[in-house]
Amino acid sequence: MKEINTVNLVANHVHRWGLRDGSGTLPAGRIVLTVTEDENQWWQFECRSEGDRHCITGNEWSRFVQPRINAMLTLYAQQDGENFHRMKVIMRRN
């Protein structure tokens, strides 16, 4: 899987995550990013390009991040034949 970006989620990510697309696979403009960690639970995040960066925002994103503050999140590019992105979330112990 080709990695797009990794972030340690902190409080300011609740409203937005600005990232550089390390895979070069996210399209320009506004899209709905469909994401899964295990193919049992799905999220749809608002994503838009801002120059050479992308920004993930929206109510669904905020609800997703709030209980995961301090977790490490890695977002991966779509694989051939898939219409969704995968992610890996590693919860950190306090």
Side-chain angles (χ1 to χ4, degrees):
M1 287 187 288
K2 200 176 229 185
E3 184 178 312
I4 291 176
N5 202 285
T6 296
V7 66
N8 181 27
L9 295 173
V10 294
N12 67 328
H13 289 124
V14 169
H15 300 290
R16 110 191 260 272
W17 175 26
L19 62 117
R20 293 198 191 285
D21 178 6
S23 70
T25 61
L26 290 175
R30 294 176 91 83
I31 62 167
V32 174
L33 194 64
T34 302
V35 179
T36 186
E37 184 174 15
D38 57 10
E39 295 188 41
N40 290 319
Q41 190 167 9
W42 298 84
W43 297 273
Q44 291 192 317
F45 304 137
E46 298 169 31
C47 182
R48 70 180 182 279
S49 58
E50 298 176 341
D52 64 343
R53 296 178 59 84
H54 284 77
C55 179
I56 297 176
T57 60
N59 292 335
E60 186 80 7
W61 173 250
S62 294
R63 284 190 296 272
F64 173 82
V65 171
Q66 285 173 342
R68 294 171 177 83
I69 296 294
N70 295 321
M72 184 68 67
L73 180 141
T74 303
L75 180 65
Y76 297 96
Q78 291 179 347
Q79 296 186 63
D80 289 341
E82 295 180 338
N83 62 349
F84 58 89
H85 290 74
R86 295 178 186 275
M87 68 180 161
K88 181 178 179 181
V89 178
I90 300 172
M91 299 299 290
R92 296 176 183 232
R93 295 184 181 184
N94 293 332

